[in-house]
Amino acid sequence: HADVRQAAADCIARMDRDLAMLERTPADLLSLHDETAPRIAALEQFVETAREAAMQAADRTVDALDERGGELALEAQRALSQAFDITDVARLRDPARLHILVDRILGDSVEQFATQTAAAVAADYDAALEAARRHLPVRFSFASAAAQAFGSGGSSHLWSEDPAQALAATIVLEAIGGPAIALVEQIAARFRASPPGAYMKRELLADLRSSIWPSFDREMRSFSADVAERICKVADAYAGALETAFEQERDAALGSIERALREHETGTQARTASEMRDVRARIAAELESMTRELAPFLERSQTIAAPAAGNEAVRRAHAAEEFDRTAYERGLRPQRWRVAVLGALRRGKSSLINTFAGRRVLADEVAGAIAYPVHVRYGEQEQAFALQFDGAWREIEVENALEEATRNPVLILTPWQLPRELVLVHAPAFDAGDSTLEDVCVVAAGAASEVLCLFSRQLSDRELALYQRVADLGKPLMFAHTLADNETGAERRHVVELAQQYLRERNIPVQRLFTLSTLEYAQAKREHRAPAGWNEVDALVSTITAHADEHMTRLARLERAAAQLEPSRPSPAPPPEQERPRGLFARLSKLRLR
């Protein structure tokens, strides 16, 4: 409707100009033509300069993307290598699960490249268009041009609301549809070509170094070159819009004069003017009729949510039932005071839990190896259990607990002095090479009573994004700046103040922010002295212990009140056991953390 109305408006405006010129004498027309010609010549020169500048900018973008493509290939290769190294070979052997892993890792790697590229290109065209429209009414939509160049219809709300984000999302999905598929096929072909058990991770790593990574590097460079080529199509569309705008401006200034002069030469100006008025009236009538027909449809305003961008779309596309938060919570005893400990790689999660326990419960020498939640709580003796596919807990050797946590959720019992209903949940490092780990962290946080978020030095955008997702769950949040023993007092204060600023900007509520060093705390205990004044390990332990004690006191009070109200009422029978849902995390539906 808008396009038709615009075309009709252009046609009517042109006829109105022609009708006005037909009423003038030839002498007036010649004089007006001579006055207007210099301005049009200057506009023609401006358009040529602007067009050349746009094409040069596109060439610079091509050169920059060519260089960035090599860097992107190395970054993605490192992230994928780390993910392959810590992923069980059975998962790599399964093409569907391998696709999920590669799609997510590559999506994360390409995201920054795509976001930076899209933002820079969009900003360039915004500036160029603003300058051009000071001279010409240029009709150019970066969103439409980019959508067409990248093979999208451009009809989604995201293209109209945030073209740069839409372009970034499209680039990410291009990577998933190209290099990711090629990489998975190469790895899957090697597993298919070997007998079961003959091709293991050692052979895969050797093939990655010798042939798969070189091929992947070529795929990523080709992907980057394709992005550059498509961006050049946007430049072509912009150059075409400049030419069209100039032609329309020239016609508005000189075309009507020239057509009127020709009509005067042939003596047909009166007849032409009459025919033109008839045509103009018919166009106006058709427009009015079209508007009446379309009005009932156009007045309906149904809200359609904008689609998720790039890597988030990939993450959601692969979100399976195994991350069913409801199923996970159904398997956990509600009377426990559960504290989920979240953090990136090497933020001190294991060390902090060991400090709480007063002993080395988690021997986490390989950072990022844990892929599932590890629950630590009181037990009369040290024991460990792993959740099995049938929903039952199988006892395992304590020494093998963390190795088992690469495949299944784990429960570790230890005879600590903390409240017996307190459970510390070591969530996996969300940046350990597989973005499914972020979902695992959110599931663990959703089932917790409160969440302790660890960070060191400066909160990164990725940490803030995860903690924002956790904050949306409505759980009480505490933050801890860890590994602070290698900082001066001024540096520690600066880190805390900066973290508070970032959290405020994201509207992430914080109950309290601690500054910790488990290393300094352990040294103080060995030397029989008090920890440093800034080291708030004791305060954190006391805070969480108080929360757990308060929770247990409240539960006991409720139980006594219930017993007084209904002293003779028998205890309700436990609900019948339901059929276990499918999916890895759905196995947790039968979890019983005793």
Side-chain angles (χ1 to χ4, degrees):
H1 184 225
D3 289 345
V4 171
R5 288 185 66 85
Q6 183 63 64
D10 289 344
C11 186
I12 289 174
R14 177 178 172 178
M15 286 188 289
D16 286 343
R17 291 194 301 268
D18 283 2
L19 287 169
M21 292 300 106
L22 287 173
E23 294 177 356
R24 293 196 170 206
T25 65
D28 288 342
L29 292 173
L30 291 171
S31 176
L32 184 59
H33 189 282
D34 293 340
E35 292 174 5
T36 308
R39 183 176 69 85
I40 298 303
L43 275 180
E44 185 175 16
Q45 181 61 44
F46 165 78
V47 167
E48 183 61 29
T49 303
R51 182 181 178 281
E52 185 64 27
M55 302 312 293
Q56 289 176 357
D59 291 339
R60 289 194 298 270
T61 301
V62 170
D63 294 338
L65 290 181
D66 182 61
E67 180 179 351
R68 186 70 179 89
E71 298 172 359
L72 178 62
L74 291 176
E75 293 169 6
Q77 179 180 323
R78 283 193 294 267
L80 287 163
S81 294
Q82 183 182 20
F84 292 161
D85 188 50
I86 65 175
T87 301
D88 188 80
V89 69
R91 184 176 183 182
L92 299 178
R93 188 179 288 113
D94 183 343
R97 300 174 76 185
L98 179 60
H99 259 299
I100 293 174
L101 177 64
V102 172
D103 285 357
R104 291 181 172 180
I105 298 299
L106 189 57
D108 288 341
S109 298
V110 173
E111 179 191 15
Q112 185 178 9
F113 161 80
T115 301
Q116 291 175 346
T117 299
V121 172
D124 286 346
Y125 281 105
D126 285 345
L129 196 57
E130 182 180 358
R133 283 177 174 165
R134 298 192 192 106
H135 303 270
L136 286 168
V138 182
R139 293 175 186 169
F140 173 77
S141 167
F142 171 75
S144 298
Q148 185 173 2
F150 281 82
S152 169
S155 57
S156 75
H157 284 201
L158 191 60
W159 278 107
S160 59
E161 294 172 0
D162 193 341
Q165 186 182 0
L167 176 56
T170 304
I171 293 174
V172 171
L173 297 177
E174 288 279 338
I176 301 305
I181 292 177
L183 176 62
V184 169
E185 177 56 31
Q186 287 201 50
I187 295 175
R190 284 163 170 79
F191 279 114
R192 289 195 302 267
S194 302
Y199 192 84
M200 303 299 287
K201 191 175 290 188
R202 182 175 62 180
E203 289 77 15
L204 172 61
L205 294 177
D207 283 347
L208 285 170
R209 289 190 295 269
S210 64
S211 58
I212 297 178
W213 287 141
S215 175
F216 177 74
D217 181 80
R218 292 190 294 272
E219 288 283 346
M220 289 300 293
R221 289 179 182 275
S222 176
F223 157 74
S224 179
D226 183 62
V227 171
E229 181 180 348
R230 292 169 184 258
I231 288 176
C232 286
K233 292 182 180 179
V234 179
D236 292 337
Y238 178 68
L242 286 173
E243 294 287 351
T244 300
F246 171 73
E247 291 299 329
Q248 290 176 341
E249 186 69 12
R250 187 192 182 285
D251 185 80
L254 298 179
S256 295
I257 297 174
E258 293 168 352
R259 286 190 291 275
L261 286 171
R262 288 196 295 271
E263 293 296 330
H264 278 291
E265 289 177 1
T266 59
T268 57
Q269 66 270 21
R271 185 184 64 190
T272 299
S274 177
E275 293 174 351
M276 202 175 295
R277 291 187 183 96
D278 291 340
V279 172
R280 188 189 187 288
R282 288 200 303 273
I283 292 176
E286 291 290 344
L287 276 178
E288 184 178 354
S289 174
M290 180 180 67
T291 300
R292 283 197 306 269
E293 292 288 338
L294 293 177
F297 173 78
L298 295 176
E299 287 172 358
R300 289 184 296 180
S301 113
Q302 298 177 356
T303 302
I304 302 175
N311 65 318
E312 180 68 10
V314 174
R315 187 188 71 78
R316 292 187 181 184
H318 290 311
E321 295 178 357
E322 59 190 27
F323 299 110
D324 185 349
R325 173 182 171 182
T326 303
Y328 181 53
E329 288 180 336
R330 195 162 54 239
L332 303 177
R333 290 204 172 182
Q335 69 266 31
R336 310 286 191 206
W337 185 258
R338 199 167 289 103
V339 181
V341 182
L342 308 186
L345 281 167
R346 300 179 182 86
R347 294 300 186 267
K349 296 181 291 296
S350 298
S351 298
L352 185 59
I353 292 176
N354 290 340
T355 300
F356 267 77
R359 65 184 65 204
R360 195 163 186 255
V361 179
L362 302 179
D364 189 12
E365 280 85 5
V366 182
I370 293 175
Y372 296 99
V374 177
H375 300 74
V376 180
R377 68 173 184 84
Y378 173 82
E380 294 183 358
Q381 60 183 359
E382 289 193 345
Q383 290 178 279
F385 302 85
L387 187 66
Q388 301 303 292
F389 280 102
D390 60 1
W393 284 93
R394 175 178 61 86
E395 186 169 2
I396 59 175
E397 295 293 332
V398 175
E399 294 79 9
N400 298 333
L402 296 191
E403 193 275 332
E404 183 69 28
T406 63
R407 298 181 294 274
N408 298 296
V410 168
L411 165 65
I412 298 177
L413 306 184
T414 186
W416 63 21
Q417 301 300 314
L418 299 172
R420 297 195 174 193
E421 296 295 338
L422 173 63
V423 182
L424 298 179
V425 183
H426 183 304
F430 61 85
D431 59 343
D434 183 350
S435 59
T436 59
L437 299 177
E438 294 188 18
D439 294 312
V440 179
C441 289
V442 174
V443 169
S449 307
E450 63 182 343
V451 181
L452 177 61
C453 304
L454 308 186
F455 68 96
S456 180
R457 300 296 296 176
Q458 182 176 330
L459 277 164
S460 68
D461 287 340
R462 187 169 180 184
E463 286 175 308
L464 288 167
L466 173 65
Y467 297 153
Q468 179 66 69
R469 289 181 64 191
V470 173
D472 291 341
L473 300 175
K475 300 293 181 177
L477 295 181
M478 295 188 295
F479 284 77
H481 166 39
T482 59
L483 312 178
D485 51 291
N486 58 349
E487 300 168 348
T488 66
E491 288 174 332
R492 283 190 288 269
R493 286 192 298 273
H494 178 67
V495 169
V496 170
E497 290 170 357
L498 201 59
Q500 291 171 332
Q501 175 188 334
Y502 290 162
L503 293 169
R504 281 195 303 270
E505 291 173 353
R506 296 274 187 136
N507 293 321
I508 299 176
V510 182
Q511 283 198 330
R512 185 168 172 182
L513 199 157
F514 299 86
T515 301
L516 312 175
S517 170
T518 56
L519 177 62
E520 196 278 335
Y521 186 84
Q523 290 173 344
K525 293 299 182 183
R526 287 195 300 269
E527 297 169 5
H528 303 287
R529 61 173 175 83
W534 55 265
N535 195 352
E536 299 178 297
V537 170
D538 281 333
L540 175 61
V541 174
S542 298
T543 299
I544 290 179
T545 300
H547 291 171
D549 286 337
E550 180 183 356
H551 172 71
M552 294 313 303
T553 301
R554 185 168 59 252
L555 288 182
R557 189 165 55 247
L558 290 172
E559 288 177 1
R560 288 195 301 270
Q564 291 172 359
L565 288 172
E566 300 181 75
S568 61
R569 182 173 180 175
S571 300
E577 191 168 297
Q578 299 179 351
E579 181 181 354
R580 178 177 60 85
R582 297 181 178 275
L584 180 56
F585 259 75
R587 287 185 274 143
L588 299 178
S589 62
K590 292 188 178 180
L591 174 61
R592 294 294 181 268
L593 297 185
R594 296 188 296 276

PDB file of all heavy atoms in Angstrom, residues 26 28 187 481:
ATOM      1  N   PRO A  26       6.939  30.267 -23.815  1.00  0.00           N
ATOM      2  CA  PRO A  26       8.256  29.712 -24.143  1.00  0.00           C
ATOM      3  C   PRO A  26       9.402  30.566 -23.623  1.00  0.00           C
ATOM      4  O   PRO A  26      10.434  30.031 -23.189  1.00  0.00           O
ATOM      5  CB  PRO A  26       8.218  29.644 -25.669  1.00  0.00           C
ATOM      6  CG  PRO A  26       6.759  29.494 -25.995  1.00  0.00           C
ATOM      7  CD  PRO A  26       6.048  30.309 -24.988  1.00  0.00           C
ATOM      8  N   ASP A  28       9.521  32.478 -20.942  1.00  0.00           N
ATOM      9  CA  ASP A  28       9.674  32.234 -19.500  1.00  0.00           C
ATOM     10  C   ASP A  28      10.336  30.882 -19.230  1.00  0.00           C
ATOM     11  O   ASP A  28      11.178  30.736 -18.334  1.00  0.00           O
ATOM     12  CB  ASP A  28       8.306  32.272 -18.810  1.00  0.00           C
ATOM     13  CG  ASP A  28       7.748  33.689 -18.722  1.00  0.00           C
ATOM     14  OD1 ASP A  28       8.546  34.643 -18.880  1.00  0.00           O
ATOM     15  OD2 ASP A  28       6.533  33.827 -18.498  1.00  0.00           O
ATOM     16  N   ILE A 187      34.093 -34.407  10.401  1.00  0.00           N
ATOM     17  CA  ILE A 187      34.321 -35.215  11.606  1.00  0.00           C
ATOM     18  C   ILE A 187      33.454 -36.464  11.579  1.00  0.00           C
ATOM     19  O   ILE A 187      33.925 -37.576  11.871  1.00  0.00           O
ATOM     20  CB  ILE A 187      34.023 -34.363  12.857  1.00  0.00           C
ATOM     21  CG1 ILE A 187      35.028 -33.213  12.955  1.00  0.00           C
ATOM     22  CG2 ILE A 187      34.089 -35.218  14.115  1.00  0.00           C
ATOM     23  CD1 ILE A 187      34.748 -32.245  14.074  1.00  0.00           C
ATOM     24  N   HIS A 481      33.873 -10.884  44.562  1.00  0.00           N
ATOM     25  CA  HIS A 481      35.096 -10.623  43.798  1.00  0.00           C
ATOM     26  C   HIS A 481      36.183 -11.527  44.362  1.00  0.00           C
ATOM     27  O   HIS A 481      36.636 -11.345  45.497  1.00  0.00           O
ATOM     28  CB  HIS A 481      35.481  -9.150  43.920  1.00  0.00           C
ATOM     29  CG  HIS A 481      36.871  -8.836  43.466  1.00  0.00           C
ATOM     30  ND1 HIS A 481      37.438  -9.433  42.358  1.00  0.00           N
ATOM     31  CD2 HIS A 481      37.820  -7.992  43.975  1.00  0.00           C
ATOM     32  CE1 HIS A 481      38.667  -8.972  42.203  1.00  0.00           C
ATOM     33  NE2 HIS A 481      38.924  -8.114  43.172  1.00  0.00           N
TER      34      HIS A 481
END
